[in-house]
Amino acid sequence: MCGTVHVFLPPAAIWNHLTDFPTIGPSGFFGSFRAIKIWLTEPDRLLEEGYRKYPNMLFKIYTQDGWTLFTSGDARLAEMRAAPDRDLSFVEHINDAFQLEVTMGPGVARDMFGRHSANVMNTVTRNLPLYFDEVREETNQACMDNIPSEHDWVAVPVLAATGKIVSRGANRMFLGKDLGRNIEFTDLMVAFTREAIVTGILLRTLPEFIRPVVAKLVTRTEYYYKRARPHLESMLAYRLEQEHKHGLRDLALRVLGINLPAIQTTSNSLGHSIFDLAQNPQYVEILREEIESIVAEDGWSKESLQKMVKLDSFAKESQRLWGIAPGMLTRASSGRRTLKPFTFSNGQTVPAGHDILVTSQAIHLDDAHYPSAREFRPFRFVELRSQEEEKSVLYDFVTPSKTFAAFGVPSRHTCPGRFLAAMLIKQALAYLVLNYDMKLESDERPKNLMLGSVMGPHPWASVLFRKRQT
């Protein structure tokens, strides 16, 4: 893949005009080959070097996309948050990262991560208490359907299971019981989500002028639309009668679009947590005690789930250590694209058309922020809550901060779906903890899939499950 990229990259893309920004890693025409190899295989080394050397500046790394800018530090992040979308655009950055305009079409692409998506997810968030029981019912049933409850150990491919669990829970919320329980439809959403992200990432390795042509050959959005249409026709009929602005195809593509971020990010985060539970079974009984005591007193509700601070901390610590999902730039997140030259207060000017990424993983693994930052300490955020009880909300799973950027840095573009994601993850973890024993197939946690800024759980690794014995 690296060679393919460089066949098409013009010399200007290598020598570039970003000479005012310090460079991390090799550069120059021949050095760029080595730079991409290092970026794809050892990105941590490059990002941490830049994070240490230039703590409040922008620096550049040569990646498969050409020169890419990165930054950290309170001052730069504050300026990025404050910049209007007409200067620094989150939507344009995401559209390019996933090549949404050539795979989904411009209208749907801009809605998926723009104002439409935020409005949809804000409505979903307001209604979470109302739909808590329905979503929990679906999540529990999906766990039962995808993870056998036997007395002997059974190997279960983790990401295959979490994708189906999350798809059913999310679509029960989005579309109701008939489609949330429809296995053919929810499995279709998982397949579409994962294929669309991989396709988008691969398209980015090609020159921009040829992407639309190749997209028509490799993108299967139309195939998924035709498969989804029979399931959606009756449900969307009323909407079509009320609103003539959109046709059935447009609305169906928006259903596919809202599933894309919901399933991929959440199922991978849940997968990371399951691997962490299986690797650290000593914490399962502690979580069981917390869950059972709270449910015995308060029953199941969004409020009782909120009281399970150890479960919340476990999920957040897993996300801090491993990030969100492939394609969401877990090592470097909260990206913005410059729509015109943008000058930071330290004098660095970024030309139009460049992405600026935040070194989120380096922030998460900084011992100054989190003592023993590379160690998995599942109740780290419970301890922090106890030290600052009046600020305990700052340590909730869903709360972004300057030192926790898994959902994005605090801004108007912080992930609007994080409240649903957190509820789905914690509902599923609670069910698994209460009903199963878990362990790894070997002594070591399966290695994550890593490719540049993309990192996710091993896509085919399994965890051993059995019916709870105690």
Side-chain angles (χ1 to χ4, degrees), residues 232-242 248:
L232 295 169
E233 278 181 323
S234 60
M235 178 191 175
L236 296 177
Y238 173 77
R239 176 72 182 270
L240 289 169
E241 291 176 3
Q242 302 299 312
L248 176 61

Side-chain angles (χ1 to χ4, degrees), residues 104 194 248 424:
M104 299 285 293
R194 293 186 172 159
L248 176 61
L424 288 168

Side-chain angles (χ1 to χ4, degrees), residues 76-143:
R76 302 293 79 76
L77 299 187
E79 290 178 86
M80 288 178 65
R81 291 196 301 270
D85 290 341
R86 64 179 179 273
D87 295 343
L88 297 183
S89 174
F90 171 76
V91 173
E92 293 299 331
H93 162 69
I94 289 292
N95 279 341
D96 185 69
F98 296 129
Q99 292 296 295
L100 296 175
E101 291 201 4
V102 295
T103 59
M104 299 285 293
V108 176
R110 294 184 182 282
D111 279 352
M112 282 170 60
F113 292 95
R115 184 175 298 175
H116 172 77
S117 175
N119 289 340
V120 169
M121 294 314 301
N122 288 337
T123 300
V124 167
T125 298
R126 288 195 300 272
N127 286 281
L128 288 179
L130 181 63
Y131 287 92
F132 179 90
D133 289 335
E134 287 189 44
V135 175
R136 179 173 167 268
E137 176 191 57
E138 197 63 49
T139 301
N140 289 357
Q141 187 61 51
C143 288

Side-chain angles (χ1 to χ4, degrees), residues 379-417:
F379 307 129
R380 181 188 300 274
F381 296 99
V382 178
E383 297 168 8
L384 291 171
R385 283 176 187 270
S386 66
Q387 296 168 15
E388 297 185 88
E389 292 185 7
E390 71 283 358
K391 298 180 180 179
S392 62
V393 69
L394 296 178
Y395 305 110
D396 283 353
F397 184 25
V398 296
T399 303
S401 69
K402 293 183 292 185
T403 60
F404 184 75
F407 289 116
V409 294
S411 74
R412 61 189 176 279
H413 293 299
T414 301
C415 175

Side-chain angles (χ1 to χ4, degrees), residues 299-341:
W300 283 103
S301 67
K302 187 172 183 295
E303 290 71 26
S304 64
L305 194 68
Q306 187 76 15
K307 292 181 180 180
M308 300 174 191
V309 293
K310 292 177 182 176
L311 182 67
D312 188 274
S313 178
F314 191 102
K316 182 165 185 170
E317 175 70 353
S318 181
Q319 198 176 69
R320 179 194 69 82
L321 199 56
W322 306 116
I324 295 180
M328 293 305 289
L329 305 176
T330 57
R331 287 187 173 83
S333 64
S334 304
R336 301 290 190 272
R337 169 156 290 197
T338 53
L339 300 186
K340 59 184 180 181

Side-chain angles (χ1 to χ4, degrees), residues 238-254:
Y238 173 77
R239 176 72 182 270
L240 289 169
E241 291 176 3
Q242 302 299 312
E243 181 182 331
H244 301 292
K245 179 181 178 181
H246 301 293
L248 176 61
R249 185 178 188 279
D250 196 45
L251 290 176
L253 287 176
R254 279 168 166 76

Side-chain angles (χ1 to χ4, degrees), residues 55 125 159 268 332:
T125 298
L159 279 194
N268 280 285

